[in-house]
Amino acid sequence: MEPEEGTFLPKVDINVARWDQSTYIGRAKYYFSTTNPFNLFIPSSDLEKAKILLDKYKLGKPLTGVTIDDIYKAKEQVDSAFHPDTGEKMILIGRMSAQVPMNMLITGCMMTFYRSTSAVIFWQWINQSFNAIVNYTNRSGTSPIPNEQLGKSYIMATGGAVFTALSLNKVLHNAPSIIGRLVPFIAVAAANCINIPLMRIKELKEGVPVYDENNQLVGKSKIAACKGITAVVFSRVVMCAPGMVLTPIIVNWLDKRGLFKRYPKVNLPIQLGVCGICLAFATPMCCALFPQKSAISVINIEPELQVHCFNFF
């Protein structure tokens, strides 16, 4: 039942996710909402209306014909398009909702044209360029990553991915085709292992804030930073795995049965389709593997901080 005109809605904290982020299911629901590709098709006018509605709700103004569900829907739309710190509208391909379609296209092409040296270089470069755009678009508004660091990370991740892919292609030249089809996954995994630590090198050098059970700041821990960044690298690699491992297995099976010899034009569409299906589930489910706020045992951090029990961000 909708409220009457001018009704004051119940106050809820819309600065936090709608679902319980201490559980995997709650985090998965949040990321399914955040990475929903259909958010890309929301007109700018509707996004502006959602932002205005959300601002009115935050100010406690009476609203006409609006329910709490409408408020949460507006929040999902605003979160999908506007930067959480600056409030600026993010570029389209840098948004989280662009992750699935963009990665579907890039990954599908990487695995389709994996034999050609020029294609390997081109698509690994495109992949790391896209990652750089995402990193820049979603950079912190309060502690932004310097452009110099973004550039260094981009160059080294691209170089690492291209070197890994070309080296493995040369070494595995006579290996079974299924092995060759897995080279793009190994190259992307290697690039993630380079890119993410470089992007967060400041945290590794200075540590991340840690808090005790009363949410009081204790200090900064490099060990906690290392643990957190390792978890991010792991989740990113696992996120790539379903599409970049399952797709080659399916495609190799179809290739052995002569499908692509009879219908060569279906090769790329099939790879894109399988990748898209895998990514639609793997992206939100792997983002949800670890909570943004995690606990760490006292005995596993620096001695000077071990006198406290805490959580770290």
Side-chain angles (χ1 to χ4, degrees):
M1 181 177 178
E2 293 184 347
E4 297 177 356
E5 183 176 348
T7 298
F8 290 92
L9 294 177
K11 294 298 293 183
V12 295
D13 187 359
I14 57 173
N15 293 318
V16 299
R18 185 175 189 176
W19 303 279
D20 184 2
Q21 297 299 284
S22 66
T23 68
Y24 175 77
I25 296 297
R27 294 193 300 272
K29 287 181 178 179
Y30 169 74
Y31 283 110
F32 266 106
S33 169
T34 304
T35 61
N36 182 1
F38 290 104
N39 287 336
L40 293 173
F41 301 102
I42 301 174
S44 294
S45 57
D46 288 352
L47 290 174
E48 293 297 337
K49 289 178 182 177
K51 196 171 189 297
I52 291 171
L53 175 62
L54 216 56
D55 289 340
K56 287 183 177 179
Y57 177 76
K58 289 179 180 178
L59 293 172
K61 294 183 177 181
L63 300 170
T64 303
V66 177
T67 67
I68 287 295
D69 284 340
D70 294 326
I71 297 298
Y72 274 118
K73 182 179 179 181
K75 172 180 167 56
E76 291 172 12
Q77 293 178 350
V78 169
D79 288 352
S80 75
F82 294 92
H83 194 283
D85 294 331
T86 65
E88 297 176 353
K89 187 180 293 183
M90 298 181 285
I91 59 174
L92 202 65
I93 65 170
R95 300 174 189 175
M96 286 299 292
S97 48
Q99 287 286 301
V100 172
M102 289 299 297
N103 280 321
M104 176 184 72
L105 175 62
I106 295 170
T107 302
C109 289
M110 278 196 293
M111 293 188 297
T112 301
F113 308 112
Y114 71 96
R115 292 184 182 277
S116 166
T117 299
S118 58
V120 167
I121 295 173
F122 177 76
W123 285 108
Q124 291 293 345
W125 168 68
I126 287 292
N127 185 45
Q128 294 309 319
S129 298
F130 171 65
N131 288 340
I133 291 172
V134 172
N135 290 332
Y136 179 79
T137 303
N138 293 277
R139 69 197 185 282
S140 171
T142 54
S143 300
I145 300 171
N147 290 337
E148 180 183 353
Q149 189 62 45
L150 284 168
K152 185 186 297 184
S153 173
Y154 167 61
I155 292 170
M156 294 192 68
T158 303
V162 170
F163 175 79
T164 301
L166 294 180
S167 299
L168 287 176
N169 277 344
K170 185 175 182 179
V171 171
L172 302 173
H173 180 69
N174 296 319
S177 59
I178 182 62
I179 302 299
R181 292 181 188 276
L182 292 173
V183 167
F185 169 64
I186 300 172
V188 169
N192 277 324
C193 292
I194 297 170
N195 185 36
I196 295 169
L198 278 175
M199 288 292 297
R200 300 176 67 171
I201 190 69
K202 184 177 179 180
E203 294 176 18
L204 290 172
K205 289 181 177 180
E206 300 178 4
V208 293
V210 292
Y211 300 81
D212 62 19
E213 59 186 0
N214 298 315
N215 204 35
Q216 297 297 312
L217 179 64
V218 174
K220 289 188 174 182
S221 170
K222 296 179 182 178
I223 295 174
C226 184
K227 178 184 175 183
I229 292 171
T230 300
V232 173
V233 172
F234 176 78
S235 64
R236 292 285 182 86
V237 172
V238 173
M239 188 187 301
C240 298
M244 300 192 79
V245 174
L246 182 61
T247 302
I249 292 174
I250 293 174
V251 169
N252 196 64
W253 181 81
L254 293 173
D255 192 23
K256 286 183 176 180
R257 279 148 184 79
L259 177 66
F260 301 135
K261 290 181 180 178
R262 296 193 301 271
Y263 310 103
K265 292 184 178 180
V266 304
N267 188 350
L268 180 57
I270 287 177
Q271 298 219 50
L272 289 176
V274 176
C275 282
I277 293 171
C278 290
L279 286 167
F281 291 93
T283 300
M285 293 177 73
C286 290
C287 284
L289 285 175
F290 303 99
Q292 291 182 317
K293 181 180 179 180
S294 299
I296 185 171
S297 174
V298 176
I299 62 173
N300 292 329
I301 46 87
E302 289 83 349
E304 61 269 22
L305 300 177
Q306 289 186 9
V307 294
H308 301 277
C309 295
F310 59 85
N311 290 328
F312 79 96
F313 286 107

